[in-house]
Amino acid sequence: MLFKTTEAHEALRKKVREFAETVVAPVAFELDKENKYPEDIVAQMGELGIMGLPTAEEYGGAGDDVISYAIAVEELSRVDGGVGVILSAHTSLGTYPIDHYGTEEQKQKYLIPLAKGEHVGAFGLTETNAGSDAGGTETTAVLQGDHYILNGQKIFITNAPAADTYIVFAVTTPDIGTHGISAFIVEKGMEGFTFSDHYDKLGIRSSTTAELHFNNVKVPKENLLGKEGKGFNIAMSTLDGGRIGIAAQALGIAQGAYEKALEYAKEREQFGQPIAAQQAISFKLAEMYTKIDAARLLVYRAAEMKTNGERYGLQAAEAKMYASEIALEVVNDALQIYGGSGYMKGMEVERAYRDAKITTIYEGTNEIQRVVIAAYIIGKIAKSGGGGRSSKKSGKGPITGDRKKEIFDSEDQRENVKRLIDALKKDGYDFSVGIDLDTPIIDAERVVSMGKGFDGNVELAKDLARAFGAAIGASRPVAETDKILPLNRYVGMSGQKFAGNLYVAAGISGAGQHLKGIKDAATIVAINNASNASIFKNCDYGIVGDIEEIAPLIIEELGTEGKDPAPEMVKMKRQKPRKTAPREDIYTCKGCGYEYNPEEGDEENEIEPGTPFDKLPEEYICPKCGEGKESFIKVEFPEDRVFE
């Protein structure tokens, strides 16, 4: 086992540390304060030759080992954790999958500019319902001729939207769990591939993080990475290596905070001597140093094992879990040593305190690391009683609950508007009355929220709210990032929560955090130009189209003037969607009357939801009476039957 780095490693450390101290450190406070991605610094990292450290020279890299890469991430993170993770995500997540699984053509086209630092890479796995559980992936890729058509959304993507090349995971074969997930190389600029504004985060604020939106994105067939159905294996293998990068990031954050605390403890005098001479502080420093030393050995061991081609999943999980947790402890102690001064904005230890937390969350939460480690040391334990993954236990419905999802999709938008207004009036909404635009969100009976789709046209959004007799609201980017409306108009999980009757999401795609803030609305109306936007899965009524075209039609239909003051709000009961005949044929057992519904599957017999009756195995038996498959007959339903 390696206990000491080589001269080449330390020469690299010196080079990267000098770059971090002279180029990154002077602007780190500004980057953090402004939530600013350092495009010029990333370009200089490419010129320095560290964007492709573990990539072979023939593909534009440095041909160094994984320890060299870990040292580079560590040294950048020692000064700024955000800059450190830019390199980590680019190398471990955006570059490695192409390096390891790509074809020669893919390497020539994508790997070389990534390794040279001409392009930046990113990794798109996480979704609202798929984080630690990648099997919950809902983004789809359907093969049509020479292209796959991607639809869906990814969240919390590091380096987005700055990155040029994205490794994206999508379901190519539904209903077979992780075996149906495939990986794709997606380029920034492909039609239908768009981004949210980058998030406003607690820490690592120089690293940009955003959502990826795929609306019928045509990805060439040759951009399939590896084989179809092997995406989950690629993702898990990639995350193993990514954990080394995050462990190195955590190590660097801890090292930087420790060094600042040590320096301060030697300078700060109390009771006639430096506080470093006081046992309470000296013992604290000794513990910090030892924790960092132990973490470094774990990180470098995992990196060395990966370099040597050994199995390193267990060691990477150990390094990531331990390094991130001691980083929290070290930065906490460093800030404590600084006392009140450390709590002030602009102090390196204050920034390190905020930067460190995320290292326990991304690249697999530390709870997941414990699952990984336990699986290695305990092994696979047989389950008792069998049972597959059932739709009732694991199915994930809309965030806002069961909704009617009536989408008006006539080619005539005027007709769609009339149908929407008629449906709302039938539900009991009176548009001859209205409330003040500035009514607090939590008190409002109706809210029209302005999204990015308005393209800054706040007057049109306000007129739309007046037409509906509603208060004006906003998505997070409109209020927090663009500052078009006040922050108290922001509706979402971390903003104002709406629990009134009518909520109109106008030009809002439907990020998970937004949807969680409106789940108690009686009626949700969605207007968005992307037919696969999440908001349409979570609404009662929807129109697909440009809000700047549809809003004037609604305003014309409802008017904005002469509305009477609305009476005191009476909470309306949410109308459950009317259930129509099943999309798949239902078969019933002649022996006991049990109905097999393909949409639900059969948990007891481990039949996945979505399995048609004719695809059931020949040995299938009724879960109630044990009759064979031949005893089932197709059920005929009247066309007008309504299912409760």
Side-chain angles (χ1 to χ4, degrees), residues 29 32 202 205 341-348 350 354:
F29 173 70
D32 176 73
L202 172 71
R205 289 168 59 81
S341 297
Y343 200 68
M344 304 300 290
K345 284 284 186 182
M347 302 299 290
E348 289 91 343
E350 182 271 340
R354 289 183 286 107

Side-chain angles (χ1 to χ4, degrees), residues 279-441:
Q279 191 176 75
I281 302 300
S282 64
F283 279 15
K284 198 182 291 289
L285 289 165
E287 290 174 359
M288 294 161 71
Y289 181 88
T290 303
K291 289 173 182 176
I292 291 170
D293 230 15
R296 183 171 287 109
L297 288 172
L298 284 173
V299 175
Y300 290 5
R301 178 185 65 165
E304 183 182 40
M305 292 177 72
K306 183 178 180 183
T307 296
N308 294 337
E310 301 175 51
R311 295 185 65 187
Y312 64 94
L314 169 61
Q315 290 72 26
E318 288 180 277
K320 192 271 184 186
M321 181 187 76
Y322 183 75
S324 62
E325 292 189 352
I326 70 100
L328 288 184
E329 295 167 7
V330 169
V331 298
N332 184 65
D333 286 343
L335 198 151
Q336 190 71 22
I337 288 171
Y338 265 80
S341 297
Y343 200 68
M344 304 300 290
K345 284 284 186 182
M347 302 299 290
E348 289 91 343
V349 292
E350 182 271 340
R351 174 159 44 85
Y353 188 89
R354 289 183 286 107
D355 285 352
K357 178 57 190 173
I358 190 61
T359 64
T360 69
I361 297 173
Y362 54 17
E363 300 302 303
T365 64
N366 280 7
E367 289 74 18
I368 289 296
Q369 303 314 314
R370 286 173 168 81
V371 170
V372 171
I373 295 166
Y376 273 98
I377 62 179
I378 297 171
K380 188 174 181 180
I381 299 176
K383 294 181 180 179
S384 59
R389 189 173 178 176
S390 82
S391 61
K392 291 182 180 178
K393 290 185 179 180
S394 63
K396 297 178 176 70
I399 294 174
T400 60
D402 207 12
R403 294 283 171 175
K404 296 170 75 171
K405 287 182 279 192
E406 291 186 21
I407 309 301
F408 305 118
D409 55 3
S410 163
E411 292 184 3
D412 183 351
Q413 292 290 26
R414 190 176 295 274
E415 175 64 22
N416 292 332
V417 166
K418 282 189 63 65
R419 291 171 64 193
L420 168 65
I421 301 304
D422 288 345
L424 291 172
K425 288 180 176 178
K426 186 176 179 181
D427 288 346
Y429 289 102
D430 179 3
F431 296 114
S432 67
V433 300
I435 59 177
D436 189 272
L437 285 180
D438 296 322
T439 302
I441 301 295

Side-chain angles (χ1 to χ4, degrees), residues 24 142 208 231 303 376 382 558 611:
V24 181
V142 178
T208 183
Y376 273 98
L558 295 177
T611 306

Side-chain angles (χ1 to χ4, degrees), residues 12 15-16 19 44-54 69 72 76 87 90-91 115:
L12 174 68
K15 180 174 77 169
V16 178
F19 174 80
Q44 291 180 65
M45 286 160 59
E47 295 168 3
L48 194 65
I50 62 174
M51 294 291 275
L53 282 169
Y69 155 63
L76 291 172
L87 177 62
H90 163 82
T91 306

